[in-house]
Amino acid sequence: EQQTNWDGQRLVKYNGFWLLELLFRPILSARKYFKAKATDVILSTMPKSGTTWLKALTFSIANRSVFPIDQSPLLTSNPHKVVPALEFNLYWGKENPDPELIPDPRILSTHIPFEMLPDSIRESDCRIIYVSRNPLDVFISHRHFLLENKFAKDAVPLALDEAFDMFCQGIHPFGPFWDHMLGYWNAHLKNPERVLFLKYEDLKEDILSNVKKIAEFIGSPFSPEEEKQGVVEQISRLCSFENLKNLEVNKSGNVLGLMKNSSFFRKGEVGDCVNFLTPEMAERIKNLMEREFQGSGLIYNI
Ligand code: A3P
Protein backbone atom coordinates (compact mmCIF):
# COMPACT_ATOMS: atom_id res chain seq x y z
CA GLU A 1 0.00 0.00 0.00
CA GLN A 2 1.27 3.47 -0.89
CA GLN A 3 0.29 7.00 0.07
CA THR A 4 1.58 10.51 -0.28
CA ASN A 5 2.31 12.32 2.96
CA TRP A 6 0.84 15.83 3.22
CA ASP A 7 4.20 17.32 2.25
CA GLY A 8 4.46 15.25 -0.93
CA GLN A 9 6.86 12.54 0.32
CA ARG A 10 6.04 8.97 -0.63
CA LEU A 11 4.99 6.59 2.12
CA VAL A 12 4.72 2.81 1.95
CA LYS A 13 2.79 0.68 4.40
CA TYR A 14 4.79 -2.25 5.72
CA ASN A 15 3.73 -4.53 8.58
CA GLY A 16 1.14 -1.98 9.67
CA PHE A 17 3.47 1.05 9.70
CA TRP A 18 3.83 3.92 7.23
CA LEU A 19 7.49 4.17 6.28
CA LEU A 20 9.12 6.86 4.17
CA GLU A 21 9.74 5.29 0.81
CA LEU A 22 13.27 6.70 0.68
CA LEU A 23 14.09 4.79 3.89
CA PHE A 24 12.48 1.52 2.89
CA ARG A 25 15.61 -0.07 1.44
CA PRO A 26 17.91 1.05 4.26
CA ILE A 27 15.40 -0.33 6.78
CA LEU A 28 15.22 -3.68 5.01
CA SER A 29 19.02 -3.84 4.82
CA ALA A 30 19.33 -3.02 8.52
CA ARG A 31 16.83 -5.76 9.30
CA LYS A 32 18.77 -8.24 7.24
CA TYR A 33 22.35 -7.44 8.19
CA PHE A 34 22.60 -5.45 11.40
CA LYS A 35 24.18 -7.45 14.21
CA ALA A 36 23.63 -5.86 17.57
CA LYS A 37 26.20 -6.28 20.32
CA ALA A 38 25.39 -6.50 24.01
CA THR A 39 27.28 -3.23 24.52
CA ASP A 40 25.21 -1.27 21.96
CA VAL A 41 22.83 1.47 23.02
CA ILE A 42 19.97 2.06 20.57
CA LEU A 43 18.10 5.37 20.78
CA SER A 44 14.59 5.02 19.39
CA THR A 45 12.02 7.70 18.70
CA MET A 46 9.23 8.76 16.46
CA PRO A 47 10.53 11.72 14.44
CA LYS A 48 10.34 15.02 16.38
CA SER A 49 9.99 13.43 19.80
CA GLY A 50 13.39 14.53 21.11
CA THR A 51 15.88 12.46 19.11
CA THR A 52 18.46 15.26 18.93
CA TRP A 53 18.33 15.86 22.67
CA LEU A 54 18.54 12.14 23.49
CA LYS A 55 21.54 11.75 21.18
CA ALA A 56 23.40 14.63 22.81
CA LEU A 57 22.61 13.41 26.33
CA THR A 58 23.42 9.73 25.83
CA PHE A 59 26.61 10.47 23.91
CA SER A 60 27.78 12.89 26.62
CA ILE A 61 26.92 10.50 29.44
CA ALA A 62 28.54 7.47 27.81
CA ASN A 63 31.70 9.35 26.77
CA ARG A 64 32.21 11.56 29.81
CA SER A 65 35.52 9.97 30.66
CA VAL A 66 36.77 10.31 27.07
CA PHE A 67 35.84 13.93 26.36
CA PRO A 68 35.86 16.65 29.00
CA ILE A 69 32.82 18.92 28.55
CA ASP A 70 34.87 21.71 26.96
CA GLN A 71 36.21 19.28 24.35
CA SER A 72 32.92 17.61 23.52
CA PRO A 73 32.43 16.75 19.83
CA LEU A 74 28.97 18.28 20.27
CA LEU A 75 30.60 21.71 20.33
CA THR A 76 31.74 21.29 16.73
CA SER A 77 29.34 18.70 15.25
CA ASN A 78 25.58 18.42 15.04
CA PRO A 79 24.25 15.62 17.34
CA HIS A 80 23.06 13.72 14.26
CA LYS A 81 26.65 13.52 13.04
CA VAL A 82 27.94 12.46 16.44
CA VAL A 83 25.37 9.66 16.82
CA PRO A 84 24.53 8.01 13.47
CA ALA A 85 21.11 6.62 12.62
CA LEU A 86 20.71 3.05 11.37
CA GLU A 87 18.44 3.90 8.45
CA PHE A 88 19.74 7.37 7.61
CA ASN A 89 23.47 6.93 7.97
CA LEU A 90 24.63 3.34 8.35
CA TYR A 91 22.44 1.63 5.75
CA TRP A 92 21.84 4.67 3.53
CA GLY A 93 22.95 3.61 0.07
CA LYS A 94 24.95 0.71 1.56
CA GLU A 95 23.40 -2.69 1.80
CA ASN A 96 25.84 -4.19 4.27
CA PRO A 97 28.28 -1.62 5.67
CA ASP A 98 31.23 -2.54 7.86
CA PRO A 99 29.93 -2.39 11.46
CA GLU A 100 33.43 -1.67 12.69
CA LEU A 101 33.13 1.79 11.17
CA ILE A 102 31.71 2.76 14.53
CA PRO A 103 33.85 2.08 17.58
CA ASP A 104 32.49 0.21 20.62
CA PRO A 105 30.52 0.92 22.67
CA ARG A 106 28.23 1.94 19.82
CA ILE A 107 25.41 4.42 20.20
CA LEU A 108 22.99 4.37 17.27
CA SER A 109 19.59 5.88 16.69
CA THR A 110 16.54 4.74 14.78
CA HIS A 111 12.91 5.59 14.08
CA ILE A 112 12.10 1.95 13.25
CA PRO A 113 9.06 0.65 15.22
CA PHE A 114 9.94 -1.92 17.89
CA GLU A 115 8.24 -4.81 16.08
CA MET A 116 10.25 -4.07 12.95
CA LEU A 117 13.70 -3.68 14.52
CA PRO A 118 16.43 -6.03 13.29
CA ASP A 119 15.97 -9.31 15.17
CA SER A 120 19.41 -9.03 16.70
CA ILE A 121 18.45 -5.78 18.46
CA ARG A 122 15.36 -7.36 19.97
CA GLU A 123 17.16 -10.57 20.86
CA SER A 124 20.57 -9.35 22.07
CA ASP A 125 21.30 -7.81 25.44
CA CYS A 126 21.78 -4.32 24.01
CA ARG A 127 19.99 -1.40 25.65
CA ILE A 128 17.17 0.53 24.00
CA ILE A 129 16.18 4.04 25.10
CA TYR A 130 12.88 5.36 23.74
CA VAL A 131 11.71 8.95 24.05
CA SER A 132 8.04 9.64 23.49
CA ARG A 133 6.39 13.03 23.20
CA ASN A 134 2.87 14.40 23.31
CA PRO A 135 1.59 13.60 19.77
CA LEU A 136 0.11 17.08 19.32
CA ASP A 137 3.52 18.67 19.82
CA VAL A 138 5.06 15.97 17.62
CA PHE A 139 2.63 16.84 14.85
CA ILE A 140 3.34 20.58 15.06
CA SER A 141 7.08 20.04 15.32
CA HIS A 142 7.03 17.70 12.32
CA ARG A 143 4.90 20.13 10.32
CA HIS A 144 7.48 22.89 10.78
CA PHE A 145 10.36 20.54 10.09
CA LEU A 146 8.93 19.24 6.82
CA LEU A 147 7.86 22.70 5.61
CA GLU A 148 11.33 24.01 6.31
CA ASN A 149 13.28 21.19 4.69
CA LYS A 150 10.97 20.67 1.66
CA PHE A 151 11.90 17.05 0.91
CA ALA A 152 9.49 16.87 -2.03
CA LYS A 153 10.62 19.94 -3.92
CA ASP A 154 7.68 20.37 -6.34
CA ALA A 155 4.86 19.36 -4.02
CA VAL A 156 2.30 21.82 -2.69
CA PRO A 157 1.82 20.89 0.98
CA LEU A 158 -1.70 20.19 2.23
CA ALA A 159 -3.29 22.61 4.68
CA LEU A 160 -2.84 22.07 8.40
CA ASP A 161 -6.29 20.58 9.02
CA GLU A 162 -5.88 18.04 6.21
CA ALA A 163 -2.41 17.11 7.45
CA PHE A 164 -3.81 16.73 10.95
CA ASP A 165 -6.55 14.46 9.69
CA MET A 166 -3.94 12.20 8.10
CA PHE A 167 -1.96 12.18 11.35
CA CYS A 168 -5.08 11.07 13.24
CA GLN A 169 -5.54 8.27 10.74
CA GLY A 170 -2.01 7.17 11.50
CA ILE A 171 -0.77 8.16 8.03
CA HIS A 172 2.54 9.91 8.75
CA PRO A 173 6.20 8.86 8.68
CA PHE A 174 6.62 5.90 11.09
CA GLY A 175 2.95 6.13 12.07
CA PRO A 176 0.49 5.30 13.45
CA PHE A 177 1.97 7.15 16.42
CA TRP A 178 -0.04 5.08 18.92
CA ASP A 179 1.37 1.80 17.61
CA HIS A 180 4.90 3.24 17.59
CA MET A 181 4.57 4.30 21.22
CA LEU A 182 2.81 1.12 22.33
CA GLY A 183 5.41 -1.14 20.72
CA TYR A 184 8.19 0.34 22.84
CA TRP A 185 5.94 0.73 25.89
CA ASN A 186 5.07 -2.96 25.90
CA ALA A 187 8.70 -3.90 25.32
CA HIS A 188 9.61 -1.75 28.32
CA LEU A 189 6.99 -3.43 30.51
CA LYS A 190 8.25 -6.84 29.46
CA ASN A 191 11.90 -6.06 30.01
CA PRO A 192 12.57 -2.78 31.85
CA GLU A 193 16.30 -3.54 32.20
CA ARG A 194 16.64 -3.55 28.43
CA VAL A 195 14.13 -0.94 27.32
CA LEU A 196 13.92 2.45 29.01
CA PHE A 197 10.80 4.49 28.23
CA LEU A 198 11.19 8.25 28.68
CA LYS A 199 8.93 11.21 28.01
CA TYR A 200 10.12 14.49 26.48
CA GLU A 201 7.92 16.35 28.95
CA ASP A 202 9.60 14.63 31.92
CA LEU A 203 13.03 15.56 30.55
CA LYS A 204 11.89 19.19 30.34
CA GLU A 205 10.57 19.07 33.89
CA ASP A 206 13.54 17.42 35.56
CA ILE A 207 16.58 16.93 33.37
CA LEU A 208 19.01 16.13 36.22
CA SER A 209 17.23 13.04 37.48
CA ASN A 210 16.72 11.84 33.90
CA VAL A 211 20.41 12.25 33.11
CA LYS A 212 21.15 10.08 36.15
CA LYS A 213 18.49 7.60 35.07
CA ILE A 214 20.05 7.25 31.60
CA ALA A 215 23.52 6.80 33.13
CA GLU A 216 22.28 4.05 35.44
CA PHE A 217 20.37 2.39 32.62
CA ILE A 218 23.43 2.13 30.39
CA GLY A 219 25.42 0.70 33.30
CA SER A 220 27.46 3.80 33.94
CA PRO A 221 26.03 5.53 37.02
CA PHE A 222 27.58 8.77 38.26
CA SER A 223 29.96 8.32 41.17
CA PRO A 224 29.47 10.44 44.31
CA GLU A 225 32.62 12.39 43.27
CA GLU A 226 31.19 13.11 39.85
CA GLU A 227 27.96 14.29 41.41
CA LYS A 228 29.91 16.53 43.79
CA GLN A 229 31.89 17.98 40.87
CA GLY A 230 28.61 18.87 39.13
CA VAL A 231 29.09 16.57 36.11
CA VAL A 232 25.35 15.88 35.89
CA GLU A 233 24.64 19.63 35.71
CA GLN A 234 27.43 20.19 33.18
CA ILE A 235 26.09 17.52 30.82
CA SER A 236 22.54 18.83 31.18
CA ARG A 237 23.72 22.35 30.36
CA LEU A 238 25.82 21.24 27.40
CA CYS A 239 22.82 19.40 25.91
CA SER A 240 20.22 22.05 26.67
CA PHE A 241 18.14 23.46 23.83
CA GLU A 242 19.53 26.98 24.28
CA ASN A 243 23.12 25.82 24.31
CA LEU A 244 22.92 23.50 21.31
CA LYS A 245 20.78 25.87 19.26
CA ASN A 246 23.25 28.71 19.73
CA LEU A 247 26.37 26.77 18.75
CA GLU A 248 27.76 27.98 15.42
CA VAL A 249 27.74 24.43 14.04
CA ASN A 250 23.98 24.14 14.52
CA LYS A 251 23.17 27.47 12.88
CA SER A 252 24.19 26.38 9.39
CA GLY A 253 25.10 23.22 7.49
CA ASN A 254 23.00 20.13 7.11
CA VAL A 255 22.65 16.44 7.78
CA LEU A 256 23.07 14.23 4.69
CA GLY A 257 22.56 17.26 2.46
CA LEU A 258 18.86 16.94 3.27
CA MET A 259 18.07 18.38 6.68
CA LYS A 260 19.24 21.78 7.88
CA ASN A 261 21.11 21.56 11.19
CA SER A 262 19.11 24.54 12.43
CA SER A 263 15.81 22.78 11.67
CA PHE A 264 16.40 20.42 14.60
CA PHE A 265 16.21 23.35 17.02
CA ARG A 266 12.94 25.26 16.70
CA LYS A 267 11.30 26.10 20.05
CA GLY A 268 12.00 23.16 22.32
CA GLU A 269 8.89 23.73 24.43
CA VAL A 270 6.07 21.64 25.82
CA GLY A 271 2.57 22.53 24.61
CA ASP A 272 3.43 24.69 21.60
CA CYS A 273 0.57 22.86 19.85
CA VAL A 274 -1.98 25.21 21.49
CA ASN A 275 -0.67 28.00 19.27
CA PHE A 276 -1.65 26.08 16.14
CA LEU A 277 -4.39 23.55 16.91
CA THR A 278 -8.00 24.06 17.99
CA PRO A 279 -9.38 22.56 21.22
CA GLU A 280 -11.43 20.19 19.01
CA MET A 281 -8.23 18.89 17.41
CA ALA A 282 -6.70 18.30 20.84
CA GLU A 283 -9.87 16.51 21.92
CA ARG A 284 -9.68 14.25 18.89
CA ILE A 285 -6.16 13.11 19.77
CA LYS A 286 -7.09 12.71 23.42
CA ASN A 287 -9.97 10.42 22.51
CA LEU A 288 -7.80 8.53 20.07
CA MET A 289 -5.15 7.92 22.70
CA GLU A 290 -7.69 6.91 25.32
CA ARG A 291 -9.06 4.32 22.93
CA GLU A 292 -5.72 3.02 21.69
CA PHE A 293 -3.88 3.02 25.03
CA GLN A 294 -6.75 1.52 26.98
CA GLY A 295 -5.56 -1.24 29.26
CA SER A 296 -1.89 -0.76 28.29
CA GLY A 297 -0.92 1.29 31.34
CA LEU A 298 0.52 4.00 29.09
CA ILE A 299 -0.90 7.32 30.18
CA TYR A 300 -0.17 10.47 28.27
CA ASN A 301 -1.66 13.59 29.81
CA ILE A 302 -2.23 16.38 27.33
P1 A3P B 1 10.03 21.78 18.40
O1 A3P B 1 9.83 21.73 16.92
O2 A3P B 1 8.74 21.62 19.15
O3 A3P B 1 10.82 22.95 18.85
P2 A3P B 1 13.87 15.49 16.97
O4 A3P B 1 15.16 15.75 17.64
O5 A3P B 1 13.27 14.16 17.34
O6 A3P B 1 13.94 15.72 15.51
O7 A3P B 1 12.84 16.52 17.58
C1 A3P B 1 13.00 17.90 17.37
C2 A3P B 1 12.26 18.62 18.47
O8 A3P B 1 13.03 18.59 19.67
C3 A3P B 1 12.07 20.08 18.13
O9 A3P B 1 10.88 20.49 18.80
C4 A3P B 1 13.32 20.69 18.74
O10 A3P B 1 13.25 22.07 18.96
C5 A3P B 1 13.42 19.91 20.03
N1 A3P B 1 14.77 19.88 20.58
C6 A3P B 1 15.95 19.74 19.92
N2 A3P B 1 16.99 19.75 20.77
C7 A3P B 1 16.47 19.91 22.00
C8 A3P B 1 17.05 20.03 23.30
N3 A3P B 1 18.36 19.98 23.48
N4 A3P B 1 16.23 20.18 24.35
C9 A3P B 1 14.89 20.24 24.18
N5 A3P B 1 14.28 20.15 22.98
C10 A3P B 1 15.06 19.98 21.89
Side-chain angles (χ1 to χ4, degrees):
E1 213 180 327
Q2 301 213 347
Q3 261 279 357
T4 305
N5 194 34
W6 60 262
D7 70 328
Q9 285 190 98
R10 302 290 307 155
L11 298 174
V12 285
K13 198 169 193 184
Y14 186 70
N15 290 352
F17 285 95
W18 288 103
L19 306 178
L20 285 164
E21 193 180 65
L22 90 162
L23 294 177
F24 192 54
R25 264 183 181 281
I27 289 173
L28 291 188
S29 301
R31 276 165 63 86
K32 191 163 170 194
Y33 293 108
F34 184 69
K35 290 279 164 286
K37 302 178 188 176
T39 50
D40 290 345
V41 179
I42 309 291
L43 310 179
S44 298
T45 51
M46 224 169 25
K48 314 331 285 176
S49 300
T51 324
T52 315
W53 197 5
L54 181 65
K55 285 187 180 196
L57 289 168
T58 310
F59 178 85
S60 304
I61 294 166
N63 289 289
R64 64 188 189 270
S65 60
V66 185
F67 303 110
I69 296 286
D70 60 355
Q71 286 167 37
S72 170
L74 290 166
L75 296 170
T76 47
S77 295
N78 178 271
H80 295 279
K81 294 221 169 108
V82 175
V83 175
L86 270 182
E87 62 273 21
F88 278 108
N89 306 101
L90 233 59
Y91 289 88
W92 183 272
K94 301 179 207 92
E95 200 188 359
N96 189 9
D98 180 1
E100 303 310 325
L101 288 174
I102 303 174
D104 288 334
R106 302 186 297 186
I107 305 175
L108 294 162
S109 77
T110 188
H111 294 315
I112 302 176
F114 182 79
E115 296 81 348
M116 219 182 279
L117 285 173
D119 289 344
S120 75
I121 294 185
R122 280 180 292 120
E123 289 159 12
S124 79
D125 284 332
C126 71
R127 300 276 182 279
I128 299 174
I129 308 179
Y130 185 77
V131 176
S132 65
R133 189 183 189 190
N134 161 8
L136 292 166
D137 284 345
V138 168
F139 171 73
I140 289 303
S141 181
H142 211 172
R143 174 117 183 132
H144 283 96
F145 184 77
L146 297 185
L147 288 176
E148 186 164 350
N149 285 304
K150 287 196 186 64
F151 295 104
K153 295 274 173 289
D154 302 325
V156 179
L158 296 182
L160 182 100
D161 56 340
E162 290 173 280
F164 185 74
D165 187 56
M166 289 180 74
F167 188 72
C168 291
Q169 291 179 53
I171 307 169
H172 59 96
F174 298 95
F177 65 82
W178 55 88
D179 283 335
H180 202 285
M181 294 164 83
L182 277 175
Y184 282 96
W185 173 252
N186 289 328
H188 157 73
L189 289 184
K190 221 167 138 190
N191 206 340
E193 285 81 39
R194 283 210 47 225
V195 184
L196 180 64
F197 192 97
L198 300 173
K199 290 180 177 167
Y200 181 92
E201 294 75 13
D202 293 344
L203 296 182
K204 287 292 289 188
E205 198 173 302
D206 182 357
I207 187 62
L208 299 181
S209 62
N210 279 290
V211 165
K212 288 190 220 168
K213 196 189 268 187
I214 293 172
E216 275 162 32
F217 179 75
I218 63 171
S220 174
F222 291 96
S223 66
E225 296 79 63
E226 284 180 307
E227 294 217 18
K228 229 182 280 157
Q229 287 161 6
V231 180
V232 180
E233 286 82 358
Q234 287 164 17
I235 289 176
S236 305
R237 230 175 294 130
L238 171 71
C239 301
S240 71
F241 177 79
E242 286 306 326
N243 189 55
L244 292 182
K245 183 187 171 79
N246 290 318
L247 291 172
E248 257 344 285
V249 62
N250 292 325
K251 289 186 182 165
S252 59
N254 59 60
V255 178
L256 285 174
L258 286 173
M259 301 169 272
K260 295 178 199 161
N261 285 350
S262 59
S263 67
F264 290 97
F265 307 95
R266 191 182 63 94
K267 263 193 177 173
E269 285 173 8
V270 173
D272 186 42
C273 57
V274 300
N275 298 315
F276 299 92
L277 302 176
T278 63
E280 290 73 32
M281 287 166 148
E283 199 57 31
R284 184 170 172 193
I285 294 264
K286 247 189 206 169
N287 292 339
L288 192 54
M289 286 205 292
E290 255 172 48
R291 193 182 73 213
E292 296 293 338
F293 294 166
Q294 201 178 22
S296 70
L298 176 56
I299 295 167
Y300 227 98
N301 293 320
I302 52 174

